[in-house]
Amino acid sequence: MLKKRLFTPGPTPIPEQVMLAMAQPIMHHRHPEFGEMFRRVNENLKYLFQTQQEVLTLTSSGTGAMEAAVCNLLSPKDRAIFVNAGKFGERWGEICRAYGVGTEEIKVEWGDPVDPRLIVDCLRNHSDIKAVFVTHSETSTGVLHDVQEIARLVRDNSDALVVVDGITSVGALELRTDAWGIDVVITGSQKGLMIPPGLSFITLSDRAWKRAGQSTLPKYYLDLQRAKKALDQHETPWTPAVTLLVGLDIALGMIRREGVESVWERHAVLARAIRGGSEAVGLRLLARSPSNALTAVWIPAELDAKRFSQTLKQTYGISVAGGQGQLKGKIFRISHLGYYDELDAVGVISALEMTLRDCGWRFETGAGVRAVQSQMSKADHTLLTKSAMQ
Ligand SMILES: *Cc1c(COP(=O)(O)O)cnc(C)c1O
């Protein structure tokens, strides 16, 4: 028997109680029981996003909410800044171009965080910028960007809206939408929310809603004002992915019981363990400022990258993610985002050790697992054990 274990940054593992809830007979989205559930889901989403604003649920993958941000906030010929520090930052630019929005690209070496001062310089050189599009946790490189500082600087230096792709950060990393003055935050269902792919979420500040009222780019399915109107009646404008919402209700209940700050701390502990375990077996990390949602690790040049990932998957049942774009075949990414606990970290590093040994990499056997365990023993155990698994 080979038990399969998923360590990819989306989709992520789904808790048993979520799967069981989704196996129930489907309910109708215009019946009162749906409205009752949707109302609870929305309250818990506001808590998760740390905002007093409504969080809109769209039936699309995360990219749909990214596209909704562009086409609801901007008008033809508007100009926007986007930070390209990886595959997902690059996507902001692609969406803007698809809608005829002019772009100023801030290109950052993949693996590095953006220096927020570069954004300020760009704002000073271009007084007509309407929005700044950034990524909080860049999933292609495992890099954390300082969106709190970026939001502060953009607000101090312009009227541009700050739009954050929080797809691998909401439900994993500290992100305080209102307190940090972020105008728009987006996430997707198959990452920190522990449910299958198919839903995306977006919240807008008062300033952003005002802009949405003036936007003239074309939109229909992704019209956020329409979604907001429906939400006021605890509905969605179109048939939502009801089954996923039923799962989400359970998953958000788990997050609420654990407490969002404990969820962030659990991710921090697991991230330190995975980083420590990888380095202890002699591997190097890609990210200079690592995200606690996932860890990107260089595959040593001496190893056969294909054999490495095949062994991990076929011999040990572990799925990790490879590199994207220019990093293809050069790195692997271990996710610790969502439904993971300490023994998951021990397991994945143990499998990594066995794979490295099979591929001829020399290191002290057990050093990785030992490093994971030492991070765990430093952590506050009450915090880990009262976690989402209840
Ligand atoms: C996964 C991901 C996306 C894209 O989401 P889809 O659900 O594949 O559309 C965008 N940004 C980041 C940071 C992601 O991790």
Side-chain angles (χ1 to χ4, degrees):
M1 186 188 85
L2 183 67
K3 190 163 169 181
K4 290 184 186 164
R5 293 175 162 91
L6 198 57
F7 286 88
T8 54
T12 63
I14 301 164
E16 296 76 355
Q17 53 270 55
V18 170
M19 289 195 273
L20 286 170
M22 293 191 303
Q24 293 173 77
I26 196 156
M27 65 168 103
H28 193 274
H29 59 288
R30 304 289 180 220
H31 285 180
E33 58 265 38
F34 177 85
E36 210 174 284
M37 175 195 73
F38 199 39
R39 186 197 301 249
R40 185 168 57 238
V41 161
N42 287 318
E43 278 313 306
N44 285 335
L45 282 171
K46 287 159 78 166
Y47 166 73
L48 178 67
F49 277 71
Q50 297 283 292
T51 181
Q52 299 296 318
Q53 301 286 345
E54 299 297 342
V55 180
L56 305 173
T57 298
L58 310 175
T59 300
S60 75
S61 78
T63 306
M66 293 173 76
E67 178 155 346
V70 171
C71 69
N72 282 272
L73 297 172
L74 299 173
S75 296
K77 301 205 178 69
D78 274 355
R79 297 190 68 76
I81 292 174
F82 73 100
V83 175
N84 174 0
K87 194 84 200 144
F88 294 108
E90 189 175 59
R91 186 167 299 176
W92 279 127
E94 289 167 3
I95 299 170
C96 285
R97 279 192 286 277
Y99 278 92
V101 169
T103 51
E104 291 299 328
E105 176 175 8
I106 297 180
K107 217 168 157 66
V108 180
E109 187 78 34
W110 288 24
D112 285 351
V114 66
D115 178 350
R117 285 171 304 187
L118 294 176
I119 299 173
V120 175
D121 291 345
C122 192
L123 285 168
R124 290 202 176 126
N125 293 334
H126 304 274
S127 56
D128 56 345
I129 296 294
K130 294 289 190 336
V132 177
F133 293 99
V134 293
T135 318
H136 189 195
S137 165
E138 174 52 73
T139 317
S140 62
T141 58
V143 168
L144 172 74
H145 295 273
D146 187 352
V147 294
Q148 181 181 11
E149 179 67 358
I150 291 169
R152 189 182 69 77
L153 288 172
V154 171
R155 283 195 167 231
D156 284 354
N157 288 281
S158 74
D159 290 325
L161 298 174
V162 183
V163 184
V164 172
D165 170 351
I167 298 184
T168 48
S169 76
V170 172
L173 315 183
E174 182 179 11
L175 176 57
R176 300 181 189 271
T177 304
D178 290 357
W180 293 359
I182 299 172
D183 291 291
V184 178
V185 175
I186 285 161
T187 200
S189 55
Q190 78 276 27
K191 313 264 175 138
L193 285 174
M194 310 181 283
I195 63 170
L199 293 177
S200 67
F201 308 90
I202 181 167
T203 186
L204 278 71
S205 66
D206 287 330
R207 295 200 314 164
W209 277 118
K210 203 158 151 224
R211 250 358 139 64
Q214 299 156 354
S215 156
T216 57
L217 279 176
K219 52 198 146 286
Y220 185 80
Y221 186 73
L222 296 174
D223 186 336
L224 296 180
Q225 287 183 298
R226 217 163 160 155
K228 173 89 159 32
K229 227 187 228 159
L231 185 63
D232 292 339
Q233 310 301 315
H234 310 294
E235 286 191 1
T236 54
W238 331 113
T239 309
V242 178
T243 308
L244 297 181
L245 279 162
V246 169
L248 180 63
D249 186 25
I250 303 297
L252 288 172
M254 290 168 66
I255 291 172
R256 188 111 207 191
R257 280 194 300 281
E258 185 176 357
V260 74
E261 284 166 345
S262 302
V263 170
W264 299 337
E265 181 56 22
R266 174 165 52 85
H267 283 82
V269 171
L270 293 176
R272 284 198 293 273
I274 300 291
R275 293 197 287 262
S278 306
E279 288 186 314
V281 294
L283 302 186
R284 281 191 313 122
L285 308 180
L286 167 68
R288 273 214 303 122
S289 153
S291 161
N292 288 338
L294 74 151
T295 299
V297 186
W298 290 104
I299 300 174
E302 299 88 327
L303 296 188
D304 177 344
K306 209 165 171 180
R307 180 165 166 223
F308 169 80
S309 47
Q310 274 180 357
T311 306
L312 198 53
K313 185 155 187 212
Q314 289 165 10
T315 310
Y316 300 106
I318 302 273
S319 288
V320 294
Q324 292 169 285
Q326 69 211 52
L327 293 172
K328 204 169 162 62
K330 300 202 170 119
I331 61 162
F332 64 99
R333 294 171 295 146
I334 305 173
S335 169
H336 25 88
L337 165 66
Y339 187 51
Y340 290 106
D341 72 356
E342 38 195 339
L343 283 183
D344 291 323
V346 173
V348 73
I349 293 297
S350 173
L352 175 64
E353 285 200 9
M354 292 187 282
T355 301
L356 289 169
R357 184 198 57 204
D358 295 350
C359 292
W361 182 247
R362 295 171 71 98
F363 64 98
E364 188 198 340
T365 303
V369 170
R370 208 157 52 239
V372 170
Q373 291 186 352
S374 96
Q375 284 297 338
M376 296 302 176
S377 58
K378 275 187 229 156
D380 175 355
H381 262 265
T382 50
L383 213 153
L384 282 167
T385 47
K386 78 168 192 266
S387 72
M389 323 311 151
Q390 299 161 359

